Amino acid sequence: MFLLSAEQMMIKAMAMAIHQVQQLVGVGVGVLLLLLLNAGGGGVECRKGRVLESFDYSAINCRAHSASIEEFGGVGDGVTLNTRAFQAAVDHLSRYASDGGGQLFVPPGKWLTGSFNLTSHFTLYLHRDAVLLASQDINSWPVVDPLPSYGHGRDAAGGRYISLIFGTNLTDVIVTGENGTVDGQGDVWWQQFHRKKLKYTRPYLIEIMHSDNIQISNLTFLNSPSWNVHPVYSSNIIIQGLTILAPVTSPNTDGINPDSCTNTRIEDNYIVSGDDCVAVKSGWDEYGISYGMPTKQLIIRRLTCISPYSAAIALGSEMSGGIQDVRAQDITALNTESGVRIKTGVGRGGYVKDIYVKGMNLHTMKWVFWITGNYGSHADNHYDPNALPEIKGINYRDIMAENVSMAARLEGISGDPFTGICISNATIGMARKAKKYPWSCSEVEGISSGVVPTPCGLLASQGEETQPTMCDLPSDTPPTPIDSIQLQKCSYRTMNYL
Ligand SMILES: *[C@@H]1O[C@H](CO)[C@@H](O)[C@H](O)[C@H]1NC(C)=O
Ligand SMILES: *[C@@H]1O[C@H](CO)[C@@H](O)[C@H](O)[C@H]1NC(C)=O
Ligand SMILES: *[C@@H]1O[C@H](CO)[C@@H](O)[C@H](O)[C@H]1NC(C)=O
Ligand SMILES: *[C@@H]1O[C@H](CO)[C@@H](O)[C@H](O)[C@H]1NC(C)=O
Ligand SMILES: *[C@@H]1O[C@H](CO)[C@@H](O)[C@H](O)[C@H]1NC(C)=O
Ligand SMILES: *[C@@H]1O[C@H](CO)[C@@H](O)[C@H](O)[C@H]1NC(C)=O
C-alpha cells in the first residue's frame, strides 16, 4: 500500500496552516514562504510554495485537511486501477474525522477504479475534468448481502455487487465536484443482465446506507450498471445539481432512489434514463413490511426528466415500509411515459399517503396520471396475500401537458380502493393519435376541479372551471427540516512547491 512519507505529510500540514493564515489575513493567490521541518535531519528550512488553483464549492461542512488522490499513488491514465489508492486515501483522511474532517481531491484525468468505501466527516471532490471510470472487471466488485428490507437482490436471489462508491454507518459525508464525472461503463452489465448471466445483483454508482447528513451534488453520472444514486436507511440528505445520463433503453438505470430515508431534498437534477428518473422506495413485500422503515419528508423540485419507458417520479413499486409526505414541485418531463406514478400491488402492504405534486410541465406522454394496483414483481412466493397497501391523499395541481395519449389510468385494488385522490388545475392537450377515452379509472375515489379533458366519474368535478377548488398543499410554516439546512462556502487549493 502506498503511504505518504513523513516529509510529504509535514509539507501538507504546513500548507494547511498557511492556507488558514491566508484565509485569516485575506492574502490572495501568490508566492508564500513555507517552513518545512526536515524529517531526515530534524532541522528547519525554508521553502516557497505557490497556490496554483483554488476550487470553491458549497457544502454542508468544510474540511480542515486535504489530500489529492495523486499523493496516494493514483494514476489518471484510464488504464491503471486505482482502487487501492482511493481506499488508502480515504483511510488516511478518516484519521481527521474528529479533527475538522478531510477532503480528497481528484484532479483532471481518467481514474479507473473498483469499489471503494467512504468515511465520516469526509468530502470527495471531483475536478470538472476528472472522470471516475468504473472497472469492468467483475473481480473489482465484492459481493455484499441483500438489503434487509428487500430480502433478495433484484437481479438474482443472493447477494449484490457492492456499489462503486459505498458508505455505511457514516455521518457527514459529501460527494461533489464542478460537474466532474462518474462513468459506470455499464454496457457489460446490461449485456449480462439481458443474457440472464448475472450471478448477483448489479452494482449502483453510489450507495450510502445507515447514514446521516449526506450531500451528493454537482456531478455527472453516466451509464450506471443499474440504479445511479441510492441513499438507503438514511436521513438529512441533499442531492443537488446532478446530470444523470444513460441510454433510454438501458435496463433499470433509475436516476435517484431515496429508499427508507427521512428528510431528503432532491433538486435541480437533469436525468435521461432507461427507468424512472426518481424512484421513491421503502422495501419489498414481507421483508419491507417487517423492516418497517418508511421514506418520509421528501422534497423533489426542479427535476427535468426524459424517460420514454418509465416515469418522471415513481412511488414504488417497493413501498412496503411506507411512503409519506412527498412534495414534488416544478417537474418537467419530455418524452416520458408518465408523470408521478404510483406502483403497488397485493402483498406489498405499507402505504403511500400525503403526496403533494404542484407544477408539472409535460410534453409527449403516454399517461399524465398513472396509478397501478397490480404491479406484481414479488421478492418470492412467501408474500402475504392479505397485505394490502393503503393509498390515500394523492394531490396533483397546476399541471400542463401536451401531446398526451391518455390523460390517466388509475387502477386501485378490488376491496382496497385508493382514496383521497385530488386533481386540480390541469390542462392536458391530447395527441392527434390519442386513445378514444382519455380517462380510465377503477377502484379509486377522489375529486377534481378545473381539469381538461373532463375526468372520469370516480373523480367527480367540484366547483366551477373558472374558480377551481384547489387540491391540498401542506403548509410551509415551519419550513421542513431539510430546507432549513444552510450550505457553507468551502474550498480546495492545489499548491506547488518551488
Ligand atoms: C452546484 O452548482 C451551482 C452552480 O454552480 C451552485 O450554485 C450550487 O451552489 C452548487 N451546489 C452544491 C450543493 O454544490
Ligand atoms: C467496504 O464496506 C463493506 C461493507 O461494510 C465491506 O464489506 C468491505 O470490506 C469494505 N471495503 C473495504 C475495502 O474496506
Ligand atoms: C450500522 O447501523 C445499523 C443500523 O443502526 C446497525 O444495525 C449495524 O449493526 C451497523 N453496522 C455497523 C458495521 O456498525
Ligand atoms: C455537466 O456535464 C454534462 C455532461 O457533459 C452536461 O450535459 C451538463 O450540461 C453539465 N452541467 C453543467 C451545470 O455544466
Ligand atoms: C394553474 O396552473 C398553471 C400552470 O400550469 C399556473 O400558471 C396557474 O397559475 C394555475 N392557476 C391557479 C389558479 O393557480
Ligand atoms: C407526439 O407524440 C408522438 C408519440 O405519441 C410522437 O411521435 C410525436 O413526435 C410527438 N409530437 C410532437 C410535436 O412532439
Side-chain angles (χ1 to χ4, degrees):
M1 181 161 48
F2 185 91
L3 286 176
L4 282 179
S5 71
E7 184 180 346
Q8 282 173 304
M9 303 233 308
M10 200 61 78
I11 292 171
K12 288 212 56 58
M14 289 310 218
M16 287 301 310
I18 297 281
H19 290 164
Q20 276 155 12
V21 169
Q22 242 191 312
Q23 274 171 345
L24 281 176
V25 301
V27 179
V29 173
V31 179
L32 300 166
L33 274 185
L34 259 187
L35 269 181
L36 173 70
L37 290 167
N38 185 313
V44 175
E45 65 181 59
C46 285
R47 200 164 165 177
K48 283 176 176 175
R50 188 191 293 272
V51 174
L52 286 178
E53 282 179 288
S54 173
F55 302 99
D56 300 320
Y57 63 94
S58 311
I60 52 175
N61 272 309
C62 303
R63 309 302 181 196
H65 302 266
S66 307
S68 160
I69 189 64
E70 284 175 314
E71 296 167 45
F72 297 86
V75 182
D77 60 2
V79 180
T80 308
L81 191 64
N82 291 292
T83 317
R84 293 175 68 126
F86 276 105
Q87 204 60 67
V90 174
D91 288 350
H92 172 75
L93 288 165
S94 72
R95 296 188 217 160
Y96 302 116
S98 56
D99 180 29
Q103 60 186 341
L104 179 63
F105 178 72
V106 182
K110 290 195 161 150
W111 307 87
L112 183 70
T113 183
S115 166
F116 61 92
N117 290 348
L118 302 170
T119 188
S120 290
H121 305 293
F122 174 78
T123 300
L124 177 64
Y125 182 92
L126 304 192
H127 184 276
R128 83 178 80 85
D129 299 318
V131 181
L132 288 196
L133 268 186
S135 165
Q136 294 187 317
D137 174 3
I138 211 153
N139 298 313
S140 305
W141 302 86
V143 175
V144 293
D145 288 340
L147 293 165
S149 59
Y150 284 67
H152 292 260
R154 296 175 85 266
D155 295 332
R160 339 179 273 138
Y161 295 104
I162 195 169
S163 298
L164 181 66
I165 302 172
F166 179 78
T168 189
N169 301 71
L170 304 180
T171 182
D172 181 15
V173 58
I174 300 170
V175 181
T176 188
E178 284 170 290
N179 205 19
T181 300
V182 179
D183 183 347
Q185 306 204 90
D187 48 343
V188 291
W189 295 96
W190 305 332
Q191 287 169 28
Q192 297 266 316
F193 172 79
H194 286 306
R195 292 183 191 143
K196 301 196 163 38
K197 287 273 169 59
L198 286 167
K199 252 174 90 183
Y200 303 106
T201 293
R202 284 166 288 162
Y204 307 147
L205 287 185
I206 179 163
E207 177 170 79
I208 301 188
M209 270 170 74
H210 300 301
S211 298
D212 186 34
N213 299 325
I214 301 167
Q215 172 184 338
I216 303 169
S217 62
N218 287 354
L219 294 169
T220 292
F221 289 85
L222 300 179
N223 298 330
S224 178
S226 179
W227 298 355
N228 280 270
V229 177
H230 185 219
V232 56
Y233 318 136
S234 293
S235 55
N236 302 317
I237 304 161
I238 296 177
I239 298 177
Q240 194 189 61
L242 303 185
T243 301
I244 299 180
L245 307 175
V248 296
T249 51
S250 56
N252 310 108
T253 47
D254 297 15
I256 302 168
N257 298 53
D259 195 350
S260 295
C261 287
T262 300
N263 275 331
T264 306
R265 175 170 130 199
I266 296 176
E267 57 193 13
D268 302 302
N269 298 294
Y270 178 88
I271 303 176
V272 181
S273 84
D275 210 322
D276 304 317
C277 288
V278 173
V280 183
K281 298 187 184 276
S282 66
W284 208 2
D285 290 353
E286 68 274 23
Y287 305 98
I289 294 169
S290 82
Y291 202 76
M293 192 165 183
T295 287
K296 54 184 203 238
Q297 290 166 284
L298 169 65
I299 296 173
I300 304 169
R301 52 168 85 100
R302 298 183 301 272
L303 168 70
T304 303
C305 172
I306 299 177
S307 183
Y309 306 105
S310 293
I313 298 175
L315 308 171
S317 79
E318 302 91 333
M319 39 58 72
S320 303
I323 295 174
Q324 182 169 23
D325 189 4
V326 177
R327 308 173 187 199
Q329 245 185 63
D330 302 323
I331 308 301
T332 301
L334 313 168
N335 193 16
T336 293
E337 193 176 42
S338 63
V340 176
R341 180 181 181 196
I342 298 174
K343 307 193 255 189
T344 186
V346 169
R348 283 284 194 278
Y351 52 83
V352 176
K353 57 189 182 191
D354 308 335
I355 309 299
Y356 307 97
V357 181
K358 182 182 191 302
M360 285 204 290
N361 213 315
L362 310 171
H363 202 286
T364 305
M365 317 283 287
K366 263 193 183 151
W367 298 283
V368 169
F369 308 104
W370 194 11
I371 300 183
T372 305
N374 65 345
Y375 196 76
S377 169
H378 295 291
D380 54 35
N381 293 329
H382 304 304
Y383 67 88
D384 176 0
N386 297 316
L388 300 177
E390 181 189 17
I391 311 298
K392 73 167 189 199
I394 314 295
N395 302 279
Y396 302 96
R397 57 187 276 185
D398 305 347
I399 313 292
M400 185 67 83
E402 286 176 3
N403 200 27
V404 169
S405 305
M406 241 183 117
R409 181 169 159 192
L410 308 175
E411 298 163 345
I413 296 173
S414 168
D416 176 30
F418 298 172
T419 62
I421 295 171
C422 179
I423 304 176
S424 65
N425 186 30
T427 305
I428 299 163
M430 305 306 293
R432 270 198 292 145
K433 292 183 179 167
K435 300 277 187 225
K436 188 167 169 207
Y437 298 104
W439 295 77
S440 160
C441 308
S442 60
E443 310 292 345
V444 295
E445 296 168 17
I447 57 171
S448 64
S449 180
V451 177
V452 178
T454 307
C456 55
L458 293 178
L459 301 182
S461 182
Q462 315 281 305
E464 294 300 312
E465 305 263 315
T466 49
Q467 194 98 58
T469 315
M470 292 304 226
C471 301
D472 275 354
L473 274 185
S475 91
D476 272 338
T477 46
T480 55
I482 194 66
D483 257 343
S484 46
I485 292 180
Q486 300 288 322
L487 298 181
Q488 306 174 35
K489 283 274 164 238
C490 307
S491 65
Y492 174 84
R493 286 162 198 199
T494 59
M495 301 286 291
N496 97 337
Y497 301 98
L498 305 173

